Amino acid sequence: MISLDKYKKYVFYVALLLVGLLLGYLFFGESKSDKTAVSVEHMEEDSYTCSMHPSVVSSKKSTCPICGMDLVKAKNDSSLDSDNLFEMSERAVALANVQTSIIGLDSKNGEISLSGEITSNDKTNATQTTLFDGRLDKLEVNYIGEYVKKGQVIGTIYSPDLYLAQDKLLTSASYKDTHEKLYAAARNTLGLWKLTDQQIEDLLKTGKPIKNFPLVADVSGTVVEILASEGNYFKQGDPLFKVSKLSTVWGVFQAYENQMPLLKIGQEIEISSEAFKGETILAKISFIEPILDRGRRVVSVRANIANKDGKWKPGMFIEGKVQVDSDDEQLLTVPKSAVLWTGERSVVYKKADVAKPVFELLRVKLGGVVGDSYIVLDGLETGDEIVTNGAFVIDAAAQLQGKNSMMYSNDEDFHKKAIKNNHLSKLTNQQNEKLKEALNVYFKLKNELVNSNKGQTIALAIKLKNSLSSIIGKNNVDSVLNTHLGAADSSLALIVNQKSLEGIRVEFKKLSEDFIAISSYVIGLESPIYVQHCPMANSNTGADWLSLEKAIQNPYFGDKMLTCGSVVKIIE
């Protein structure tokens, strides 16, 4: 039997154990449960994303499966209640090279850009013609750019009529003392064919008609066009070649309808060329064509350029900038690079917080084009800080956060409604097909840049320029679309004139900006179009382009950095 004292001892130990377990549960069990709850809540709240690929989201800190970068903590700011407001991480903004500018008034003064080319001065042009019928046996003038001086022998010609006239003169010379009038008439006949007195005297001395008679230039200047070829027969007055005195040339620019009211004779125009980077000259508008080109809806604007050193060559592409006065008392403008287009809808992103990378989507109403900017009619105010580089990246981030973007909003699915009601474009079916064809040529041009094929790129640029010419300036085409078509046409003209792939790629950035806007007007796309962005292009300022393939094929670097970039938007 167990004694009573020993029994009490066991009871005491059991009671002590139970008290210990109770205290342990109270102090540690509840704490552990709380910690677990806190941990679970923390896991639910914390998430990590890639600065360059916001679509990558993870519940734990790791690396991006696409680019290998460290994931950063995603921010959830409950204060950003508006569907138009959202915040990005500082790292994402830096990697996307987002740049902003504060817009302001231009105090009535603006600047418009015109594209054009150098031509010869028609007032100094002259044409060398044949003075008699005959076969051109020899032409000494055989290349454009050759300088011809009046009185210079430029070739030989065989003329039966001239041969007979020489023979008649020699015959009449034998009896000139008795038939003076016949001799004088025969001599005058040669004079009418502009034979010089020296040539006639030489003929009389030799006493033999010249079969292959020397042609003498009666004009001076630089040869700009050759119209004749050896062995052909020509009639009196037929042109052989054209010359021009290139001490002065013309700069001939193309101005669109919406620019015409801003241009006046006598305005100064600053002229530059890719051939002389950083150099500009000032000239004055001397002539504005009074008749509009019905096909392209443009007029020619001309300026006289002094060219004593022969620096400006006919055929050279040039750009002109004209300071103009606006009819508005105050001219508020926004850079073209800041505006995102969806058909007739235009939006910009405003930096809504000075200290944080918080951005706000704003819909704006724009007017005409002044230089590289649009006139703002509504939606922005002086002093607003606007995203001018990286707007597509900002828009992509907004879409991923479920915020309003250029394509979609909670109160309006603008893009789908516009397509359904055919309000997105006023183009005819034929014009819409032409835009589709132009897009296809653009994609081919982009692919040739990926392959670093300069020759094919220029050939496709010429083809694309011709394709756009049938749409530019049509009355039924939206004025904003016309502006983008005109700007694309100017970029293509500069691409054609580039001597290096680097120069072509600089102009391709501007071309792509306009084609991104143009593509939103096309109805019935057969496949999605991907807007892609490379943050390192254009000297690390970033550049966009369009592609039919989702996989990145970078046209700005080719095989040097073929896969650099990401998809920032899909045009369905």
Side-chain angles (χ1 to χ4, degrees):
M1 278 184 73
I2 302 174
S3 65
L4 183 59
D5 290 338
K6 188 175 284 190
Y7 176 78
K8 290 179 178 179
K9 184 178 179 181
Y10 286 132
V11 171
F12 175 76
Y13 287 149
V14 171
L16 185 62
L17 178 61
L18 291 174
V19 171
L21 290 172
L22 178 62
L23 290 175
Y25 171 78
L26 292 175
F27 285 102
F28 299 104
E30 184 178 353
S31 176
K32 184 176 180 180
S33 175
D34 289 345
K35 284 184 178 179
T36 302
V38 172
S39 176
V40 170
E41 182 179 351
H42 179 74
M43 288 177 65
E44 289 177 350
E45 289 186 352
D46 287 350
S47 60
Y48 298 86
T49 184
C50 176
S51 300
M52 287 302 294
H53 302 92
S55 59
V56 175
V57 179
S58 174
S59 60
K60 60 181 181 179
K61 193 169 184 179
S62 59
T63 58
C64 175
I66 299 175
C67 63
M69 292 180 57
D70 291 337
L71 300 183
V72 296
K73 186 181 292 186
K75 293 184 178 181
N76 293 317
D77 193 344
S78 59
S79 64
L80 302 178
D81 293 332
S82 171
D83 287 333
N84 291 337
L85 283 171
F86 69 98
E87 184 176 0
M88 293 177 66
S89 69
E90 296 280 0
R91 185 180 180 85
V93 169
L95 289 172
N97 195 23
V98 173
Q99 298 176 11
T100 59
S101 299
I102 296 175
I103 62 171
L105 297 173
D106 235 354
S107 65
K108 293 183 70 174
N109 292 324
E111 182 185 85
I112 62 174
S113 296
L114 304 172
S115 60
E117 66 176 304
I118 297 293
T119 68
S120 57
N121 185 341
D122 285 350
K123 293 182 178 180
T124 67
N125 289 351
T127 302
Q128 176 69 50
T129 63
T130 57
L131 303 175
F132 31 77
D133 297 352
R135 182 186 67 232
L136 185 63
D137 286 338
K138 183 71 175 177
L139 183 64
E140 300 291 347
V141 178
N142 48 30
Y143 63 91
I144 293 174
E146 183 177 359
Y147 185 80
V148 174
K149 188 175 181 181
K150 186 175 181 179
Q152 173 185 335
V153 176
I154 56 173
T156 59
I157 189 169
Y158 168 70
S159 172
D161 292 340
L162 181 58
Y163 186 86
L164 290 174
Q166 293 177 82
D167 187 63
K168 185 176 180 180
L169 175 63
L170 293 174
T171 301
S172 63
S174 63
Y175 49 81
K176 69 176 180 177
D177 293 336
T178 57
H179 297 81
E180 186 175 346
K181 288 185 178 180
L182 289 176
Y183 171 76
R187 184 174 180 124
N188 288 339
T189 299
L190 293 180
L192 292 175
W193 276 333
K194 292 191 177 182
L195 269 66
T196 65
D197 289 339
Q198 185 60 49
Q199 287 175 318
I200 295 173
E201 289 300 327
D202 291 342
L203 173 63
L204 292 171
K205 285 180 182 178
T206 60
K208 293 181 180 181
I210 303 173
K211 289 183 179 180
N212 295 318
F213 202 85
L215 288 173
V216 178
D218 54 7
V219 295
S220 295
T222 302
V223 177
V224 294
E225 187 177 3
I226 298 175
L227 304 168
S229 57
E230 294 177 356
N232 290 338
Y233 281 85
F234 294 89
K235 292 189 175 183
Q236 182 180 354
D238 283 350
L240 300 178
F241 56 83
K242 293 181 180 180
V243 298
S244 179
K245 293 181 180 178
L246 299 180
S247 55
T248 62
V249 292
W250 285 346
V252 180
F253 302 90
Q254 303 301 316
Y256 293 94
E257 282 183 278
N258 62 343
Q259 297 171 325
M260 288 166 53
L262 303 174
L263 300 172
K264 299 178 180 66
I265 293 176
Q267 279 178 315
E268 280 195 341
I269 180 168
E270 186 182 83
I271 301 173
S272 61
S273 170
E274 284 292 319
F276 315 115
K277 289 188 177 180
E279 297 183 34
T280 60
I281 60 169
L282 284 178
K284 289 188 176 181
I285 295 176
S286 59
F287 178 76
I288 299 176
E289 196 173 25
I291 300 174
L292 187 74
D293 185 316
R294 292 187 177 183
R296 300 184 61 202
R297 312 303 298 175
V298 297
V299 296
S300 293
V301 178
R302 192 171 74 210
N304 296 333
I305 301 174
N307 191 40
K308 290 183 179 179
D309 56 0
K311 178 179 178 180
W312 300 94
K313 316 291 186 185
M316 182 181 289
F317 287 105
I318 53 176
E319 182 180 358
K321 293 183 178 179
V322 183
Q323 298 296 323
V324 297
D325 293 331
S326 169
D327 293 334
D328 301 324
E329 292 184 2
Q330 295 180 320
L331 182 65
L332 182 64
T333 60
V334 62
K336 287 182 179 179
S337 60
V339 181
L340 300 176
W341 292 92
T342 303
E344 296 175 354
R345 184 190 191 207
S346 51
V347 299
V348 299
Y349 280 97
K350 171 186 171 182
K351 194 169 188 294
D353 193 308
V354 177
K356 298 179 182 178
V358 176
F359 301 97
E360 180 181 7
L361 177 72
L362 297 176
R363 183 169 181 173
V364 292
K365 184 179 180 181
L366 303 176
V369 177
V370 179
D372 291 329
S373 301
Y374 294 109
I375 297 173
V376 179
L377 302 179
D378 190 28
L380 292 174
E381 297 178 357
T382 305
D384 284 344
E385 188 173 354
I386 303 300
V387 175
T388 53
N389 189 73
F392 272 114
V393 178
I394 298 286
D395 192 76
Q399 291 185 41
L400 289 168
Q401 293 188 29
K403 298 288 186 173
N404 288 342
S405 66
M406 67 177 290
M407 293 295 289
Y408 302 104
S409 63
N410 291 338
D411 59 339
E412 171 191 38
D413 192 349
F414 181 88
H415 187 63
K416 289 182 179 178
K417 282 184 180 179
I419 290 178
K420 181 178 179 181
N421 299 321
N422 201 25
H423 293 160
L424 186 62
S425 173
K426 300 174 183 178
L427 299 173
T428 65
N429 289 336
Q430 184 178 8
Q431 290 169 340
N432 190 61
E433 290 303 313
K434 284 287 184 182
L435 276 189
K436 285 185 179 180
E437 291 176 14
L439 272 172
N440 288 330
V441 178
Y442 168 91
F443 293 130
K444 292 178 182 178
L445 189 152
K446 182 267 298 181
N447 291 337
E448 293 301 335
L449 274 182
V450 171
N451 297 329
S452 299
N453 191 330
K454 178 188 169 188
Q456 282 299 315
T457 300
I458 291 177
L460 287 167
I462 295 172
K463 183 177 180 180
L464 182 53
K465 196 173 189 300
N466 293 334
S467 178
L468 293 180
S469 64
S470 62
I471 311 173
I472 296 175
K474 298 299 182 184
N475 289 331
N476 65 305
V477 176
D478 176 71
S479 60
V480 175
L481 174 58
N482 255 329
T483 298
H484 286 294
L485 290 170
D489 183 72
S490 299
S491 296
L492 288 165
L494 293 171
I495 286 174
V496 171
N497 197 42
Q498 292 301 316
K499 296 180 178 179
S500 65
L501 270 173
E502 290 72 19
I504 291 175
R505 282 166 170 152
V506 170
E507 299 303 329
F508 181 72
K509 175 182 182 293
K510 302 173 186 176
L511 177 69
S512 294
E513 288 173 357
D514 287 299
F515 258 86
I516 289 169
I518 290 169
S519 65
S520 63
Y521 282 82
V522 179
I523 301 297
L525 292 171
E526 296 174 1
S527 60
I529 297 176
Y530 299 93
V531 181
Q532 299 176 334
H533 176 82
C534 173
M536 299 181 68
N538 197 36
S539 301
N540 292 320
T541 61
D544 304 305
W545 71 94
L546 294 172
S547 177
L548 289 174
E549 296 82 27
K550 189 174 183 180
I552 301 298
Q553 298 280 294
N554 193 314
Y556 296 103
F557 293 104
D559 56 7
K560 292 181 181 178
M561 296 178 64
L562 188 61
T563 59
C564 178
S566 59
V567 175
V568 294
K569 177 189 168 188
I570 302 175
I571 302 173
E572 298 290 351

